[in-house]
Amino acid sequence: MKLKEIREMYPEGTQIVLTEMAGESQMPYGLKGTVKFVDDAGQIHMSWENGSSLALNIYEDTFEKVAAPEKISVILVEPGRYPKLIEIEDTLEAMQETVGGYIEEYMPFDDEVAIVCNEEGKMNGAELNRAIYSDDKEILDIIAGKFFIAYAPIESESFLSMPKDLMKKYEDKFRYPERFYQTDKGIEAKAYKPISKDMER
């Protein structure tokens, strides 16, 4: 295999799972690593999860590329900000990182969309974000901390990208941040516009 082909096949950031590295007993089967670069001799320099930086030789070592996870388009809703469209990897780790903890799926709407939030947001004292309302504008729940909205059709086992029509609908639904007040009648929410430009996006 030519050097150019090796570099095209194993660009920086490619995820690798090791089967066997010749003569290196400390590099076990199943070890994962990330490609840093391919040198002029065709050696694949790595950053391994065990801290090693041993390079791979495609003729002597056996290993597999890990397929990159799919990405999905979702609406991110943060306290004090307008919603925004983002892409996240379709992995549990990426979803947990987005909401800052263990995820909880919440489907209060007629549409097949899910609010994915931090299940411990309220317990951890996260900032109150947006309220969920009944048809007659009663507050049903208040979500604390960051959350995102994803398409969640019943027949699908995973979250999917938001369709354009639903994306606009739910961007509008959660457009304005809310402040929450304790009153004699219970908790009330008031929508407001973020003050500065950096708060908008």
Side-chain angles (χ1 to χ4, degrees), residues 99-105 116-124 144:
V99 304
Y102 294 116
I103 65 170
E104 178 179 4
E105 178 184 348
V116 182
C117 57
N118 184 333
E119 70 173 15
E120 298 176 335
K122 288 177 186 166
M123 285 188 287
N124 293 339

Side-chain angles (χ1 to χ4, degrees), residues 11-141:
E12 180 184 358
T14 300
Q15 300 292 303
I16 297 288
V17 176
L18 187 64
T19 304
E20 184 182 10
M21 185 177 281
E24 300 291 347
S25 59
Q26 81 277 21
M27 303 295 284
Y29 172 86
L31 186 67
K32 293 178 183 174
T34 305
V35 174
K36 292 197 289 188
F37 65 94
V38 177
D39 66 21
D40 292 340
Q43 299 261 29
I44 304 169
H45 290 256
M46 298 291 299
S47 174
W48 295 102
E49 62 184 1
N50 66 352
S52 172
S53 57
L54 286 173
L56 287 165
N57 183 314
I58 63 166
Y59 304 108
E60 296 177 5
D61 306 318
T62 50
F63 54 91
E64 289 183 6
K65 281 171 69 171
V66 178
E70 294 286 321
K71 290 194 172 183
I72 57 172
S73 298
V74 300
I75 301 169
L76 177 67
V77 184
E78 300 175 273
R81 294 172 183 260
Y82 291 130
K84 64 182 177 183
L85 176 64
I86 62 167
E87 275 197 341
I88 61 171
E89 290 183 351
D90 184 19
T91 64
L92 178 61
E93 293 78 13
M95 293 176 190
Q96 288 177 339
E97 187 176 334
T98 302
V99 304
Y102 294 116
I103 65 170
E104 178 179 4
E105 178 184 348
Y106 179 33
M107 297 184 72
F109 307 117
D110 292 336
D111 296 315
E112 293 182 313
V113 299
I115 289 174
V116 182
C117 57
N118 184 333
E119 70 173 15
E120 298 176 335
K122 288 177 186 166
M123 285 188 287
N124 293 339
E127 185 178 351
L128 295 180
N129 189 344
R130 302 291 204 278
I132 306 298
Y133 298 92
S134 66
D135 292 338
D136 54 4
K137 302 298 181 188
E138 291 288 319
I139 292 178
L140 297 175
D141 199 358

